[in-house]
Structures are given as C-alpha cells and as structure tokens.
Amino acid sequence: MGKIIYITGGARSGKSTFAEEKAISFGEKINYIATSEAFDDETKKRVEEHQKRRDSRFITVEAYKNFDKVFKNVAEGTILFDCMTNMVNNLMFENNIDWDNVKSQEIDKIEREINTEVDLLLNEIKKHTGTSIIVSNELGMGLVPIYPLGRYFRDIAGRINQKIAKHSDEVYFVVSGIPMKIKTNYMKSSKKV
C-alpha cells in the first residue's frame, strides 16, 4: 500500500496547484482523476485552467464513481484525485430531489451511497503501490448556509472529509497558497524503519 496524502483548503486557496506540484515531485507518471462535470461556461473555464497547468506527465481520467472499474485503467505511479467535493456534489445531483422538501430518510440514503463510493475509492487507492493525493474543499469554516441543500452538502462533505483525513498518512491545509502540514502518521512511518 502506498502513502495517502490529503490536501484541503478553501475555494481558490491554491490547494490544486500545491497538489499538482506535490505529485510532480514524485517524478513519475501521474494519474489525474478529474471529478468535475463541466455543466456551464464558468465550470468549463475552470476545467480549462486546470488542464493548461498539466503537462504530458499527467494522464487524465474523468470519473467520480465506480472506482472499482475506473482503477482498471489506472497505471502505476502517482494518483492525483481532484476533487472530493466535486464528487460529492455530482453524486448528490444524480438524485432528482426537491432539496427544499427532502425527507431525512432520503438524505440518509444519499449519504450511504456517497460513502459507498468513497469506500470504493479508498479500497482501490489502498491496493495501489504509488502515492495517492486526494484534494477536497474545507467547507466548515464559513457561515451556515441559509438554504437546505447547502446545509446537506456541507454536512455530507464535511463527514467525508473527516473520513479521508482519518485514512491519510499526511494532511495539508492550504491558505492563500501556503500549505501547512497538519497530520503525519508517525505510527505508519515508524513501522517502515
């Protein structure tokens, strides 16, 4: 099992740039798993900006679910998964739901489905021998959203982020382009010595 590095931060904090630089530092081919769905002009522009930063070392795979199948096409080397909150968003919107009148049982079902996909991702990453980098947005530092969908998204993504951080060997928090290491799994690294 390779190392898992988790990188979080606010929107436009520089986390994706830092993740790409970190991936390049390993000097291998990089499997870039892109989870964004370009559904409007603004999102298309963001995707284009990300693509311009990546050179031929990056092999892009567009996917946000079914990782047991996706990883059959992932080569050895580094994995860069960007980003977890896009994945959560995409999975939430696969359900045709009136988010203003949703029942708690429906929310629980959606969160279980999302957790299943996260577990698939983690299982596949743990089989991989190279380093895996997972990027996600930190959502819990702002105001509580006034609309139900925002609260459901924040809560589900927040719990998913905690799960990913727990399974990671290193965690970085990026603020204004500056990465701060906030976790190193000493137990795991001491066993390798």
Side-chain angles (χ1 to χ4, degrees):
M1 180 171 91
K3 182 194 292 190
I4 300 173
I5 299 172
Y6 173 59
I7 298 172
T8 188
R12 293 300 202 209
S13 63
K15 63 191 175 299
S16 291
T17 302
F18 173 65
E20 290 165 8
E21 291 167 357
K22 194 92 172 144
I24 289 169
S25 74
F26 295 114
E28 307 169 337
K29 285 284 186 189
I30 301 154
N31 297 283
Y32 187 97
I33 301 176
T35 62
S36 184
E37 294 276 298
F39 53 86
D40 62 17
D41 289 340
E42 180 187 354
T43 309
K44 287 176 188 171
K45 185 175 183 205
R46 286 177 186 254
V47 168
E48 287 170 10
E49 287 172 10
H50 278 244
Q51 289 171 337
K52 285 178 189 172
R53 289 198 310 251
R54 301 193 301 264
D55 60 27
S56 61
R57 289 174 283 198
F58 290 86
I59 303 161
T60 302
V61 178
E62 294 181 5
Y64 66 87
K65 63 180 182 177
N66 301 320
F67 296 108
D68 51 336
K69 296 178 181 81
V70 169
F71 271 70
K72 291 177 182 170
N73 299 316
V74 171
E76 284 304 312
T78 302
I79 294 171
L80 175 51
F81 183 92
D82 194 359
C83 97
M84 184 58 63
T85 41
N86 280 334
M87 175 185 147
V88 170
N89 179 71
N90 294 340
L91 291 168
M92 285 180 73
F93 280 100
E94 281 187 345
N95 297 278
N96 189 16
I97 289 178
D98 174 2
W99 291 100
D100 291 323
N101 298 300
V102 66
K103 294 187 177 7
S104 62
Q105 299 92 333
E106 290 175 288
I107 296 297
D108 293 343
K109 179 179 178 282
I110 291 167
E111 187 164 359
R112 282 192 304 275
E113 290 169 358
I114 292 170
N115 266 293
T116 297
E117 291 297 336
V118 171
D119 290 342
L120 274 174
L121 174 66
L122 287 171
N123 287 338
E124 293 302 320
I125 281 176
K126 287 177 180 179
K127 292 179 198 173
H128 195 74
T129 57
T131 299
S132 298
I133 301 168
I134 301 173
V135 178
S136 191
N137 288 290
E138 180 54 50
L139 303 172
M141 299 177 76
L143 298 173
V144 175
I146 60 170
Y147 51 96
L149 173 58
R151 291 191 299 274
Y152 297 133
F153 175 73
R154 180 210 52 194
D155 292 350
I156 292 171
R159 286 188 284 270
I160 295 300
N161 285 347
Q162 291 177 49
K163 182 178 200 169
I164 298 296
K166 180 180 177 182
H167 287 275
S168 297
D169 301 294
E170 294 178 14
V171 177
Y172 292 86
F173 182 60
V174 182
V175 178
S176 300
I178 300 170
M180 298 174 287
K181 188 185 255 185
I182 59 174
K183 177 187 175 186
T184 300
N185 191 341
Y186 292 105
M187 293 301 290
K188 186 172 183 176
S189 60
S190 66
K191 290 179 185 176
K192 293 180 183 176
V193 177

